[in-house]
Amino acid sequence: MRPILATISQSALQHNLSIVKKHAPHSKIMAVVKANGYGHGLINVAHGLCTADGFAVLGLNEAIDLREAGFEQAILLLEGVFNVTELSIAASFGVDIVVHSAPQIDMLEKASLSKPINIHLKMNTGMNRLGFTPSEFLPAFNRLKTCKNVHAITLMTHFATADEALGIAAPLQVFQKVTAGLSQPVSLANSAAILRYPQAHADWVRPGIMLYGASPVAGMPVAEFNLKPVMQFTSEIISVQTIQAGESVGYGHRFTASKTTLVGVVACGYADGYPRHAGQFLLAENQRGAPIAVAGKITQTIGRVSMDMLFCDLTDIPEANIGAPVELWGSHVPVDAVAEASGTVGYELLCAVSARVPMQAIG
């Protein structure tokens, strides 16, 4: 069996959840576990976050999996339902839904449900992705308020720039102006807003990436927020090559040695979820790569990532040989550092770990 492995720490999940509670002690927590728990395994993550007040997912299948695994918290479908059959199933499993469009309200008004369903009514305050515009919001609210299939309504929006200098002042003002006088619970803050804007904490917060130990704010390392990485993505050296000045490695000869170089070959490639373009966004004539740890020491990838393997520089780690442990990201190498070197964000890397990578959960 290949030595590659993704190890998921439930204690790290619990720690990161405690950071959410520390920042928003008076808010309920809707833990976002979509995309298979951001690539960490839905049920693994749910067990680690079992003290959260609710779980937010994308698909009805994820919600059912949580219910069938015994989780009784509120479960929210972030895009709502797509047809009346899904609406009926959601109601039967006690799953809450986001309502962001008029056809979804039409569906609710016409459906025959086993019991009323809880609604999160979404306002578009500038993301321009999902939600009712400010002028459409109150008419939508009034329709839902009189709908026999609606039990409780929560008011929500999603901030587009909570992680950037622009912040949330403008969309928050829009939301508060439109909802002034309404007494329904409010859900506003994503991870960045939880950490940066306490005025947005409201009745519910919706942490996502911070729960997994990656930074929600570009340029700010997770250590500044006291978050712990949940995934340790590891493998081993499976071959060692010595190349001379002028020799190259890998497809396209993207790395050419300027001196005698000890090269390690790692059992991990882009088919495992490691970014093929790792290091190409930090390169000076393609001679630098993404950070990687071998035998506990930081080095860098070199050359182009292959489907099943990648190269790293072992010149300063001569004791590393076949079988030496490698951390792709985790406690030694922050996933955000690999993401930065790859021109992307930690979210994408975590979600992209492929199904062929074995995964184990630890306490």
Side-chain angles (χ1 to χ4, degrees), residues 143-326:
R143 286 181 65 186
L144 290 169
K145 193 176 179 182
T146 60
C147 179
K148 70 181 188 304
N149 285 320
V150 173
H151 179 231
I153 302 174
T154 297
L155 313 177
M156 72 179 295
T157 193
H158 191 58
F159 297 123
T161 56
D163 57 334
E164 298 182 2
L166 189 59
I168 67 166
L172 180 60
Q173 183 179 34
V174 168
F175 183 88
Q176 291 176 334
K177 181 179 180 180
V178 173
T179 60
L182 301 182
S183 60
Q184 279 69 22
V186 170
S187 173
L188 301 173
N190 56 9
S191 291
I194 290 167
L195 295 169
R196 303 180 75 193
Y197 300 108
Q199 67 269 34
H201 289 171
D203 301 286
W204 285 90
V205 293
R206 304 190 306 273
I209 194 64
M210 68 180 294
L211 294 172
Y212 306 96
S215 177
V217 182
M220 296 189 69
V222 290
E224 293 194 24
F225 302 120
N226 192 25
L227 299 170
K228 295 182 178 180
V230 173
M231 180 187 293
Q232 306 288 328
F233 191 23
T234 59
S235 189
E236 293 180 4
I237 300 292
I238 60 171
S239 177
V240 177
Q241 307 289 334
T242 300
I243 63 174
Q244 304 302 319
E247 293 187 303
S248 303
V249 298
Y251 289 116
H253 283 181
R254 297 300 295 272
F255 173 86
T256 299
S258 59
K259 60 181 181 180
T260 300
T261 302
L262 196 63
V263 178
V265 180
V266 181
C268 179
Y270 60 78
D272 300 298
Y274 197 86
R276 181 176 182 270
H277 43 282
Q280 295 182 28
F281 288 79
L282 291 178
L283 303 182
E285 297 182 356
N286 231 15
Q287 299 296 295
R288 296 180 58 208
I292 189 171
V294 179
K297 297 180 180 180
I298 302 296
T299 182
Q300 62 188 17
T301 63
I302 55 176
R304 180 175 285 168
V305 176
S306 305
M307 181 180 288
D308 308 309
M309 292 169 278
L310 58 84
F311 303 96
C312 64
D313 188 347
L314 298 181
T315 306
D316 295 329
I317 316 175
E319 68 275 19
N321 212 321
I322 293 175
V326 174

Side-chain angles (χ1 to χ4, degrees), residues 7-17 30-52 54-57 62 66 69 71 73 207-213 229-231 350-351 359-362:
T7 302
I8 308 304
S9 170
Q10 293 188 345
S11 63
L13 283 164
Q14 293 160 7
H15 168 84
N16 296 337
L17 183 63
M30 181 71 72
V32 182
V33 296
K34 62 182 178 177
N36 193 30
Y38 282 54
H40 294 66
L42 175 64
I43 303 303
N44 290 338
V45 166
H47 282 298
L49 300 174
C50 62
T51 58
F55 296 114
V57 297
E62 296 169 301
L66 288 170
F71 294 97
Q73 293 98 321
I209 194 64
M210 68 180 294
L211 294 172
Y212 306 96
V230 173
M231 180 187 293
L350 294 172
C351 292
M359 186 172 290
Q360 69 172 13
I362 60 173

